[in-house]
Amino acid sequence: LLSAKLAFSQSTDLDPHSFNLSYVTLPPKPVLDRVNRTFKVTVNEYKAEQAKIAQDYIEENSGIDGFKKVSSNGYFEIVFNLENSISNLEEVRKSVVVVKDSNGKERVENIYTNVFKCKDFGSYSVVCASDPSFNKKYSLERTYTVENSFSSQAEANSYGLLSPGALRDSYLANIISNIESRLNRDYGFIVEQTSDYLWILDSKKHPEHENSMKSLSTIQAVFNKMHYDEDIAPLKVELEPVIKYFEGLDKVYIGDEKKHRKLRYESYYDLAVIYHYLDMPDESDIWCQKLIANKYDESDGEGIKLKNESLRELLAVNQVKTRHMDVELRSNGLDDVVVDVANF
């Protein structure tokens, strides 16, 4: 049993300590029925052979987390309208560098750099015949720079055009990046294996140091057991002694001096974070309010409150009470296996 002990003149240094997490990031535009979480890819391009290359690449390298990629009859059809990228040689930049040979002798070398200005075009769209509210168009347009360096002016001149293959490879890579950062964030159920941190008293002579470190060890051990697809109710039970300990600190350290406020900060911050990752945003908000009122790094309380509000919205729109659930894991290529949802 952990209990707080009143401190008088000891220093109160707080240090961050990490702990592991595993959960599903919920989408703001969810397909609620898991059996409908399928999609197929269609590529439209004016050259058929180029369309086949692009389709194969996209099918092999892209995905929506929580969805199955199928060859036909997908709930979503992701339609790509691709266009040729363009590049223009903007300048040949000359620079001088000093290099040393194996004997340490210095020599001057000229470097000639071709600077190309490139632009991608095209777009892709989510098309859902069953529910057009999911339909959305994404632009693939972007402007970027490519630089290729050579040791002579003649060599630089001979490569005054950027190869179509290089442009195509860059275009396809941009498509995959765009899907990950936009499409997947809108609709995907993304499994997160990540970490966050707590603030823990690290002043060894302070009477709360031992209990703070024991609390940290318990928290780290319990959250190490967290899995994105398993119920977290048992973890809440295991954390009850730690929660009670932190809840009791502000009953002992009631003064307005900075040392007391730092101890209360430790308890308020850690409780707010623990409850947030136990999918209890309302309980987390209670400690956020105390964190703000404590007037020691109040912005931390505001930041966690914003995370809690986002979590509440996502739980509501996904019609769930937790971020821990079984979801379809991503695989490359096509997969037409029927999803077993009997126990979902």
Side-chain angles (χ1 to χ4, degrees), residues 114-129:
N114 289 343
V115 181
F116 296 93
K117 196 76 168 184
C118 308
K119 187 169 185 178
D120 290 341
F121 302 91
S123 64
Y124 63 97
S125 300
V126 174
V127 179
C128 182

PDB file of all heavy atoms in Angstrom, residues 114-129:
ATOM      1  N   ASN A 114      22.697  20.440 -61.526  1.00  0.00           N
ATOM      2  CA  ASN A 114      21.479  20.725 -62.281  1.00  0.00           C
ATOM      3  C   ASN A 114      20.305  20.819 -61.302  1.00  0.00           C
ATOM      4  O   ASN A 114      20.047  19.876 -60.540  1.00  0.00           O
ATOM      5  CB  ASN A 114      21.195  19.629 -63.301  1.00  0.00           C
ATOM      6  CG  ASN A 114      22.175  19.639 -64.446  1.00  0.00           C
ATOM      7  OD1 ASN A 114      22.876  20.635 -64.665  1.00  0.00           O
ATOM      8  ND2 ASN A 114      22.241  18.547 -65.198  1.00  0.00           N
ATOM      9  N   VAL A 115      19.616  21.932 -61.317  1.00  0.00           N
ATOM     10  CA  VAL A 115      18.474  22.151 -60.427  1.00  0.00           C
ATOM     11  C   VAL A 115      17.197  22.111 -61.262  1.00  0.00           C
ATOM     12  O   VAL A 115      16.967  22.985 -62.109  1.00  0.00           O
ATOM     13  CB  VAL A 115      18.593  23.499 -59.688  1.00  0.00           C
ATOM     14  CG1 VAL A 115      17.396  23.697 -58.755  1.00  0.00           C
ATOM     15  CG2 VAL A 115      19.902  23.565 -58.895  1.00  0.00           C
ATOM     16  N   PHE A 116      16.385  21.087 -61.032  1.00  0.00           N
ATOM     17  CA  PHE A 116      15.144  20.910 -61.771  1.00  0.00           C
ATOM     18  C   PHE A 116      13.947  21.302 -60.903  1.00  0.00           C
ATOM     19  O   PHE A 116      13.874  20.927 -59.728  1.00  0.00           O
ATOM     20  CB  PHE A 116      14.960  19.446 -62.195  1.00  0.00           C
ATOM     21  CG  PHE A 116      15.995  18.951 -63.155  1.00  0.00           C
ATOM     22  CD1 PHE A 116      17.142  18.313 -62.689  1.00  0.00           C
ATOM     23  CD2 PHE A 116      15.825  19.110 -64.522  1.00  0.00           C
ATOM     24  CE1 PHE A 116      18.099  17.843 -63.570  1.00  0.00           C
ATOM     25  CE2 PHE A 116      16.778  18.641 -65.416  1.00  0.00           C
ATOM     26  CZ  PHE A 116      17.922  18.009 -64.941  1.00  0.00           C
ATOM     27  N   LYS A 117      13.026  22.038 -61.476  1.00  0.00           N
ATOM     28  CA  LYS A 117      11.744  22.332 -60.836  1.00  0.00           C
ATOM     29  C   LYS A 117      10.728  21.359 -61.406  1.00  0.00           C
ATOM     30  O   LYS A 117      10.524  21.303 -62.632  1.00  0.00           O
ATOM     31  CB  LYS A 117      11.312  23.774 -61.128  1.00  0.00           C
ATOM     32  CG  LYS A 117      10.225  24.294 -60.215  1.00  0.00           C
ATOM     33  CD  LYS A 117      10.785  24.640 -58.841  1.00  0.00           C
ATOM     34  CE  LYS A 117       9.788  25.436 -58.027  1.00  0.00           C
ATOM     35  NZ  LYS A 117      10.345  25.867 -56.734  1.00  0.00           N
ATOM     36  N   CYS A 118      10.088  20.581 -60.519  1.00  0.00           N
ATOM     37  CA  CYS A 118       9.180  19.525 -60.970  1.00  0.00           C
ATOM     38  C   CYS A 118       7.773  19.761 -60.426  1.00  0.00           C
ATOM     39  O   CYS A 118       7.597  20.373 -59.362  1.00  0.00           O
ATOM     40  CB  CYS A 118       9.669  18.159 -60.494  1.00  0.00           C
ATOM     41  SG  CYS A 118      11.388  17.804 -60.909  1.00  0.00           S
ATOM     42  N   LYS A 119       6.788  19.251 -61.157  1.00  0.00           N
ATOM     43  CA  LYS A 119       5.404  19.371 -60.688  1.00  0.00           C
ATOM     44  C   LYS A 119       4.618  18.122 -61.026  1.00  0.00           C
ATOM     45  O   LYS A 119       4.708  17.597 -62.138  1.00  0.00           O
ATOM     46  CB  LYS A 119       4.725  20.594 -61.315  1.00  0.00           C
ATOM     47  CG  LYS A 119       3.342  20.868 -60.723  1.00  0.00           C
ATOM     48  CD  LYS A 119       2.782  22.217 -61.138  1.00  0.00           C
ATOM     49  CE  LYS A 119       1.456  22.485 -60.432  1.00  0.00           C
ATOM     50  NZ  LYS A 119       0.904  23.818 -60.778  1.00  0.00           N
ATOM     51  N   ASP A 120       3.881  17.631 -60.014  1.00  0.00           N
ATOM     52  CA  ASP A 120       2.971  16.503 -60.192  1.00  0.00           C
ATOM     53  C   ASP A 120       1.551  17.025 -60.373  1.00  0.00           C
ATOM     54  O   ASP A 120       1.176  18.078 -59.841  1.00  0.00           O
ATOM     55  CB  ASP A 120       2.992  15.581 -58.968  1.00  0.00           C
ATOM     56  CG  ASP A 120       4.294  14.809 -58.839  1.00  0.00           C
ATOM     57  OD1 ASP A 120       5.016  14.691 -59.841  1.00  0.00           O
ATOM     58  OD2 ASP A 120       4.573  14.308 -57.722  1.00  0.00           O
ATOM     59  N   PHE A 121       0.741  16.232 -61.098  1.00  0.00           N
ATOM     60  CA  PHE A 121      -0.659  16.561 -61.319  1.00  0.00           C
ATOM     61  C   PHE A 121      -1.507  15.348 -60.964  1.00  0.00           C
ATOM     62  O   PHE A 121      -1.004  14.312 -60.554  1.00  0.00           O
ATOM     63  CB  PHE A 121      -0.899  16.964 -62.780  1.00  0.00           C
ATOM     64  CG  PHE A 121      -0.073  18.141 -63.229  1.00  0.00           C
ATOM     65  CD1 PHE A 121       1.180  17.952 -63.809  1.00  0.00           C
ATOM     66  CD2 PHE A 121      -0.552  19.433 -63.056  1.00  0.00           C
ATOM     67  CE1 PHE A 121       1.942  19.027 -64.225  1.00  0.00           C
ATOM     68  CE2 PHE A 121       0.210  20.521 -63.458  1.00  0.00           C
ATOM     69  CZ  PHE A 121       1.459  20.321 -64.043  1.00  0.00           C
ATOM     70  N   GLY A 122      -2.808  15.473 -61.139  1.00  0.00           N
ATOM     71  CA  GLY A 122      -3.699  14.342 -60.936  1.00  0.00           C
ATOM     72  C   GLY A 122      -4.417  14.383 -59.603  1.00  0.00           C
ATOM     73  O   GLY A 122      -4.244  15.300 -58.785  1.00  0.00           O
ATOM     74  N   SER A 123      -5.230  13.365 -59.376  1.00  0.00           N
ATOM     75  CA  SER A 123      -6.023  13.283 -58.155  1.00  0.00           C
ATOM     76  C   SER A 123      -6.480  11.848 -57.950  1.00  0.00           C
ATOM     77  O   SER A 123      -6.310  10.990 -58.825  1.00  0.00           O
ATOM     78  CB  SER A 123      -7.244  14.203 -58.249  1.00  0.00           C
ATOM     79  OG  SER A 123      -8.107  13.772 -59.288  1.00  0.00           O
ATOM     80  N   TYR A 124      -7.054  11.578 -56.778  1.00  0.00           N
ATOM     81  CA  TYR A 124      -7.734  10.303 -56.563  1.00  0.00           C
ATOM     82  C   TYR A 124      -8.957  10.564 -55.699  1.00  0.00           C
ATOM     83  O   TYR A 124      -9.030  11.560 -54.973  1.00  0.00           O
ATOM     84  CB  TYR A 124      -6.811   9.256 -55.930  1.00  0.00           C
ATOM     85  CG  TYR A 124      -6.297   9.585 -54.551  1.00  0.00           C
ATOM     86  CD1 TYR A 124      -6.914   9.070 -53.408  1.00  0.00           C
ATOM     87  CD2 TYR A 124      -5.173  10.388 -54.376  1.00  0.00           C
ATOM     88  CE1 TYR A 124      -6.434   9.347 -52.147  1.00  0.00           C
ATOM     89  CE2 TYR A 124      -4.687  10.676 -53.112  1.00  0.00           C
ATOM     90  CZ  TYR A 124      -5.317  10.149 -52.005  1.00  0.00           C
ATOM     91  OH  TYR A 124      -4.844  10.438 -50.745  1.00  0.00           O
ATOM     92  N   SER A 125      -9.937   9.686 -55.807  1.00  0.00           N
ATOM     93  CA  SER A 125     -11.207   9.891 -55.123  1.00  0.00           C
ATOM     94  C   SER A 125     -11.670   8.620 -54.440  1.00  0.00           C
ATOM     95  O   SER A 125     -11.447   7.506 -54.939  1.00  0.00           O
ATOM     96  CB  SER A 125     -12.289  10.329 -56.120  1.00  0.00           C
ATOM     97  OG  SER A 125     -11.940  11.531 -56.760  1.00  0.00           O
ATOM     98  N   VAL A 126     -12.309   8.792 -53.295  1.00  0.00           N
ATOM     99  CA  VAL A 126     -13.034   7.705 -52.653  1.00  0.00           C
ATOM    100  C   VAL A 126     -14.441   7.721 -53.222  1.00  0.00           C
ATOM    101  O   VAL A 126     -15.129   8.741 -53.181  1.00  0.00           O
ATOM    102  CB  VAL A 126     -13.085   7.891 -51.124  1.00  0.00           C
ATOM    103  CG1 VAL A 126     -13.984   6.830 -50.486  1.00  0.00           C
ATOM    104  CG2 VAL A 126     -11.689   7.835 -50.530  1.00  0.00           C
ATOM    105  N   VAL A 127     -14.870   6.595 -53.788  1.00  0.00           N
ATOM    106  CA  VAL A 127     -16.220   6.468 -54.333  1.00  0.00           C
ATOM    107  C   VAL A 127     -16.916   5.334 -53.595  1.00  0.00           C
ATOM    108  O   VAL A 127     -16.454   4.187 -53.617  1.00  0.00           O
ATOM    109  CB  VAL A 127     -16.195   6.182 -55.846  1.00  0.00           C
ATOM    110  CG1 VAL A 127     -17.619   6.028 -56.382  1.00  0.00           C
ATOM    111  CG2 VAL A 127     -15.455   7.290 -56.584  1.00  0.00           C
ATOM    112  N   CYS A 128     -18.012   5.653 -52.931  1.00  0.00           N
ATOM    113  CA  CYS A 128     -18.782   4.651 -52.192  1.00  0.00           C
ATOM    114  C   CYS A 128     -20.209   4.683 -52.717  1.00  0.00           C
ATOM    115  O   CYS A 128     -20.993   5.584 -52.378  1.00  0.00           O
ATOM    116  CB  CYS A 128     -18.749   4.933 -50.691  1.00  0.00           C
ATOM    117  SG  CYS A 128     -19.629   3.697 -49.706  1.00  0.00           S
ATOM    118  N   ALA A 129     -20.557   3.692 -53.533  1.00  0.00           N
ATOM    119  CA  ALA A 129     -21.891   3.654 -54.126  1.00  0.00           C
ATOM    120  C   ALA A 129     -22.963   3.445 -53.071  1.00  0.00           C
ATOM    121  O   ALA A 129     -24.089   3.948 -53.209  1.00  0.00           O
ATOM    122  CB  ALA A 129     -21.958   2.541 -55.172  1.00  0.00           C
TER     123      ALA A 129
END
